[in-house]
Amino acid sequence: MSDDAPTNDGQQFDRLPETPADRAVEGRASREEVLDWWEERFGIGRDTFAEYSFWEKGAGKIWIFNGEASDPSEVEAVGMTFLRTRQEHWKPTGRAVSRFGSRATKNVIELGPERAAAFAAGDDQDLPEWDGDWGYLIATHEVAGESVPIGVGLYLYDELRSVVPKGSRADLPVVE
Amino acid sequence: MNPLDRYEPLVDDVDAFRAACDRPLPSVVRTNGIAATPARVREAFDEAGVAYEPVDWHDGLFRLPDGNPGGNWPYVHGWTHGQEEVSVLPGLALDPQPGERVWDACAAPGSKTTQIADAMDDEGTVVANDNNLGRLSALRHNAERLGITNAVVTNQDARNFSTKPLAFDEFDRALVDAPCSCEGTCRKNPDVLDQWTLDHVHAVAGIQKGVLARAVQATRPGGVVVYSTCTFAPEENEAVLDHVLASEDCELVDFDLPLDTDPGVTEWDGETYDESVTRAKRIYPHRNDTGGFFCAKLRVGGAAGDGGGVADGGEVDA
């Protein structure tokens, strides 16, 4: 790599390239790969994100944005955080799951009232009955007759780990 | 001295005004329409046994008599946001539309930014600016919690805000919810009355004039600027409007708010202000049992470009 090759910058937003072939910054995810990933992992169709642009700031932190931006390199934030790439398994943010997770058709785990409250509090729980994929799941529970995403869970070895960030954890009463 | 003493000449019923200022305010939440409807929030509250009272002038607001607006599932899911009733008014006056370009000049911690994004159906661009980096983290937290994807967050001094990082160089609408002496929040935080000084009023009025002038400059001809504060001080309200009316190409317009309001005042402490400041609205705590507030709506002058004035031109005087 030459000294003047474009590199990832933790201080500015850069738009994701359309495809891997358009990639100028090594290791940066492309828009196509992001769309593929949501479709493959959660069954959330590509049309869902047709109007949105994707941006990277820092190593692998992807943001989703629905506004106009030509040069957001010097702003503090565009849209909301969406996805972590540049690690072995990509990880959706809890915010992305909260916003778009109700459209998911797979890798969704529905929790009962007690488990939902424990999950929101950040507690890990034994859950040997899950026979779906391991890895990042969307945890949901029923509110007022409909399934609502709570956040991102990591399922490994018969255990559902809550990866709800500390600042978003909540001690809630169990609602039967 | 209690700074509320100085406003007694402005209010019609001093005893009711003082009594209202001494009463605490209930917790209030606003429904985030990006995530839920008011009916769904009510259903979830009912299911969880959360006590709530409707607010008769706005179906998306709920008073929570038991407090703790964050301790329930609707909050965790981003369906609700704690926001005092009068704080909803500038967003209503601004009336942003989907697809527009809107500037929130003094945005942190983001209650009004998120209300604006909601009114825009999360479509278009809302530029949420604040000069205080620490407060911006609260803004970002709130915007993310409520699932807003059309906001750009900037950290500039609003008085000389640059549109250079943006994809456009003028806004359809701007909100200046200015930093102020905050007497109107005394029902939530009585300390503001102890910390009040006239020097601070004068200092902050200078900042307010600078921010409002920049908002008028950054808004396209025919566009709308809303100016609001949570203070009763005419130095920070009508005097700021008077200054900007004289120095920038804009006019005050009539507008409706769904609460009982008093008109802006044209005389204060030996000063007189442009007659049109009476189109601004003063919200006193005893009128509607809310916090205190001030809100004005301006139309930016000059020749409107293609597309003409803002859609709600019916409120603009011919």
Side-chain angles (χ1 to χ4, degrees), chain A residues 52 63 65-71 75-81 95 99 116 120 141 143-144 146 148-149 170 172 175, chain B residues 34 40 43-44 47 71-73 76-77 79 101 122 124-125 133 140-141 144 147-149 151-155 165-167:
Chain A
Y52 295 89
W63 303 60
F65 180 50
N66 194 31
E68 294 174 81
S70 59
D71 177 21
V75 303
E76 298 297 317
V78 290
M80 61 187 271
T81 55
R95 306 308 190 193
R99 177 68 201 271
H141 73 144
V143 181
E146 283 177 47
V148 180
L172 298 172
V175 178
Chain B
I34 293 170
R40 195 144 165 72
E43 208 176 332
E47 201 170 78
N72 53 66
W73 280 110
V76 168
H77 290 317
W79 297 2
R101 297 158 172 173
D122 202 25
T125 306
L133 198 58
R140 286 181 48 192
H141 178 86
E144 291 228 334
I148 286 153
T149 65
V152 175
V153 177
T154 58
N155 179 211
L166 308 177

Side-chain angles (χ1 to χ4, degrees), chain B residues 151-166:
Chain B
V152 175
V153 177
T154 58
N155 179 211
Q156 296 187 33
D157 184 330
R159 291 173 290 185
N160 46 32
F161 183 82
S162 166
T163 56
K164 191 166 158 283
L166 308 177

Side-chain angles (χ1 to χ4, degrees), chain B residues 139-226:
Chain B
L139 164 75
R140 286 181 48 192
H141 178 86
N142 283 323
E144 291 228 334
R145 195 178 65 76
L146 299 181
I148 286 153
T149 65
N150 73 335
V152 175
V153 177
T154 58
N155 179 211
Q156 296 187 33
D157 184 330
R159 291 173 290 185
N160 46 32
F161 183 82
S162 166
T163 56
K164 191 166 158 283
L166 308 177
F168 45 83
D169 57 13
E170 59 180 13
F171 294 94
D172 296 304
R173 299 176 202 253
L175 172 62
V176 177
D177 184 53
C180 71
S181 55
C182 299
E183 304 136 1
T185 67
C186 64
R187 297 182 64 179
K188 281 192 298 190
N189 179 16
D191 287 350
V192 298
L193 300 179
D194 298 330
Q195 292 156 4
W196 188 96
T197 68
L198 192 57
D199 281 348
H200 180 248
V201 168
H202 289 139
V204 81
I207 295 168
Q208 291 158 346
K209 288 171 184 169
V211 177
L212 184 56
R214 182 69 191 112
V216 172
Q217 293 158 8
T219 301
R220 68 167 170 80
V224 164
V225 177
V226 166

